Amino acid sequence: MATFQTSSSSPSAASSPSSRRRTKAPPRRPSSESPPRKMRSIAEIMAVTAPAVDQEQDDSYGGDVTYDGDGHVDGYRDVACEKCGSGERGDELLLCDICDRGYHMRCLRPIVVRVPIGQWFCVDCSDQRPVRCLSQRKIMHFFRIEKTIDGTEKPELGQEETTKHKRRPRSLTMKKRSRRLVPFVPSKDPLQRDAQLRTLASALTSLNMKYSNDLTYVPGMAPRSANRSMFELGGVQVLSKDGFETLEHCRAMNRRGEYPPLVVVEDQFQGFTVEADGPIKDFTLIAEYAGDVDYLKNREKDDCDSIMTLLLSEDPSKSLVICPDKYGNISRFISGINNHNRFAKKKQNCKCVRYSINGEVRVLLVATRDISKGERLYYDYNGYEHEYPTHHFL
């Protein structure tokens, strides 16, 4: 067993050149001084801290707010869904700001995709107007349909006749043929057309909306000068001359009260949806996406489920969106596909395409395949950006 000697018992060790000196230990803290205080844990802080409540929420509860031992507001611990009767999944339970009744987001009809921002009211407490039937006179006033002087309708070329071209001499060089927009073919029966417009007018009035087939620029939002295709990051495809003629032809038909053969129906799960009331050919111009134009930065916390991207600028503060919450047309009610379902792509039968028209960016809704009568219209809400939550879509 080895033994060690200290430097005091071995004088030769101090004189050896290979010996090492021990470093001096730091001076000890006097016993009278207290040790440094440690920080409290989060559990200790939460045990003595009451949950924070906004002043507005404090007033809505009637003054002082009391909490139970678990930090829940008294009177709201046993709230259950009025539809399914379950109180589970509290993060999906919405409370009406008037009657304080709870509803699961998935139990509501139509299903609520995300938690609304601000106040929320249930169906019994909301001021949503019931769907009502409008007369033919009100329909013409609602859609601003122009009346013909002699009372006869002008004959229009059919879809097959408008697609005919004069034969031109072809060269031996093969070129890629670009697809050409074709105008929609309205229903021939005037009564059927009136019934189609009546469903759209009833859906718009139930949401307190007004009909508009154009982009609207409201003071306080984005001006028209901000919607320039030159501001688009990467550029926007320019609508061809034939496509512009098709667009103007469709708008002329709209002014006469002729619209695509579509009806707006109310589904208990999806709310208002759009169905084809007649056959629609592939690459048919269905409608132009209409609504208020606003900056994206002003709508980041907007819970509207139909906001459409209009302009993606290199400067994010100048990006524009279309908000059909006050003005809009039938494009407001077309449903979106579930991007998390591998079978959802089969349901998609139309898409939104952005074009540069006279230096401005506009969004056109175009059919991507032949649509049969009775088929519902679907398009991808995340066509340009993958930010909209679609996992609750059917």
Side-chain angles (χ1 to χ4, degrees):
M1 182 175 181
T3 59
F4 297 90
Q5 294 180 346
T6 60
S7 58
S8 59
S9 60
S10 178
S12 62
S15 60
S16 175
S18 61
S19 62
R20 298 179 180 178
R21 292 187 179 183
R22 296 179 58 185
T23 58
K24 295 182 180 180
R28 291 187 176 183
R29 185 185 300 273
S31 58
S32 60
E33 297 183 8
S34 59
R37 188 176 180 180
K38 298 181 179 180
M39 298 180 64
R40 292 187 299 172
S41 62
I42 189 64
E44 296 175 350
I45 297 176
M46 294 299 296
V48 297
T49 305
V53 179
D54 295 338
Q55 184 65 29
E56 296 180 358
Q57 183 180 3
D58 192 2
D59 297 339
S60 62
Y61 291 136
D64 297 334
V65 181
T66 58
Y67 303 88
D68 55 15
D70 296 333
H72 295 86
V73 180
D74 289 344
Y76 292 88
R77 184 181 181 85
D78 300 330
V79 173
C81 178
E82 296 292 331
K83 297 292 184 179
C84 65
S86 173
E88 299 179 355
R89 305 193 312 271
D91 55 338
E92 298 182 3
L93 197 63
L94 301 179
L95 296 180
C96 178
D97 289 327
I98 295 180
C99 63
D100 290 337
R101 290 185 295 179
Y103 297 88
H104 282 126
M105 298 169 60
R106 297 184 181 182
C107 296
L108 291 170
R109 297 295 180 267
I111 297 175
V112 179
V113 179
R114 50 187 175 185
V115 178
I117 300 174
Q119 293 184 339
W120 178 81
F121 306 106
C122 64
V123 179
D124 299 334
C125 300
S126 63
D127 56 352
Q128 181 175 347
R129 300 180 182 179
V131 178
R132 58 190 180 94
C133 184
L134 302 179
S135 62
Q136 183 179 6
R137 182 179 179 181
K138 292 184 178 180
I139 287 293
M140 297 185 66
H141 177 72
F142 188 84
F143 291 100
R144 298 185 294 274
I145 298 175
E146 298 177 356
K147 296 182 180 180
T148 56
I149 300 176
D150 55 356
T152 59
E153 297 181 358
K154 297 181 181 179
E156 292 293 337
L157 297 178
Q159 186 173 4
E160 297 180 356
E161 298 179 2
T162 54
T163 56
K164 291 182 180 180
H165 297 275
K166 296 180 179 180
R167 296 189 62 180
R168 299 177 181 177
R170 297 182 180 180
S171 60
L172 298 178
T173 305
M174 299 297 295
K175 296 182 180 180
K176 184 178 179 181
R177 184 178 180 182
S178 59
R179 303 182 67 184
R180 181 177 182 271
L181 286 175
V182 294
F184 59 84
V185 179
S187 302
K188 295 182 179 180
D189 187 5
L191 298 179
Q192 186 179 5
R193 294 201 301 263
D194 292 342
Q196 296 167 0
L197 293 179
R198 191 172 291 110
T199 61
L200 175 58
S202 301
L204 290 173
T205 54
S206 64
L207 298 180
N208 298 329
M209 294 179 56
K210 295 182 179 180
Y211 172 77
S212 176
N213 213 23
D214 302 300
L215 297 177
T216 54
Y217 299 90
V218 182
M221 298 185 185
R224 188 166 187 171
S225 59
N227 182 16
R228 306 300 299 174
S229 57
M230 65 178 66
F231 300 151
E232 172 71 21
L233 180 63
V236 186
Q237 58 179 328
V238 180
L239 186 65
S240 63
K241 181 180 179 181
D242 294 337
F244 182 76
E245 293 177 355
T246 301
L247 176 62
E248 292 299 318
H249 175 59
C250 292
R251 295 175 69 88
M253 287 193 293
N254 293 155
R255 290 191 292 269
R256 294 193 302 268
E258 299 175 354
Y259 288 83
L262 301 171
V263 291
V264 182
V265 297
E266 188 174 8
D267 185 87
Q268 62 173 344
F269 295 100
Q270 302 181 19
F272 289 111
T273 59
V274 179
E275 288 185 0
D277 198 30
I280 300 176
K281 294 295 184 179
D282 184 18
F283 219 62
T284 296
L285 177 57
I286 298 176
E288 180 181 354
Y289 210 93
D292 295 337
V293 179
D294 198 0
Y295 289 108
L296 177 61
K297 60 182 180 181
N298 299 337
R299 299 282 180 158
E300 291 180 348
K301 297 183 179 180
D302 198 327
D303 56 354
C304 180
D305 58 349
S306 300
I307 295 180
M308 171 62 63
T309 301
L310 178 63
L311 178 66
L312 291 176
S313 175
E314 185 176 1
D315 186 1
S317 62
K318 296 181 180 180
S319 298
L320 302 177
V321 292
I322 306 174
C323 309
D325 49 1
K326 295 181 180 179
Y327 298 91
N329 54 11
I330 199 167
S331 59
R332 164 70 171 80
F333 303 103
I334 298 180
S335 304
I337 63 173
N338 189 336
N339 298 103
H340 304 273
N341 189 346
R342 58 192 181 98
F343 300 104
K345 280 290 184 181
K346 297 181 179 180
K347 298 168 58 177
Q348 182 177 352
N349 48 22
C350 55
K351 64 178 180 179
C352 287
V353 187
R354 294 187 297 161
Y355 288 102
S356 175
I357 303 175
N358 295 330
E360 296 181 353
V361 182
R362 289 155 73 175
V363 182
L364 303 183
L365 195 64
V366 183
T368 57
R369 59 176 173 83
D370 291 343
I371 304 175
S372 58
K373 181 179 180 180
E375 187 178 355
R376 292 189 177 180
L377 272 63
Y378 291 92
Y379 73 96
D380 190 358
Y381 278 12
N382 293 314
Y384 296 99
E385 296 177 343
H386 298 276
E387 296 183 357
Y388 193 84
T390 61
H391 54 280
H392 287 319
F393 286 8
L394 300 178

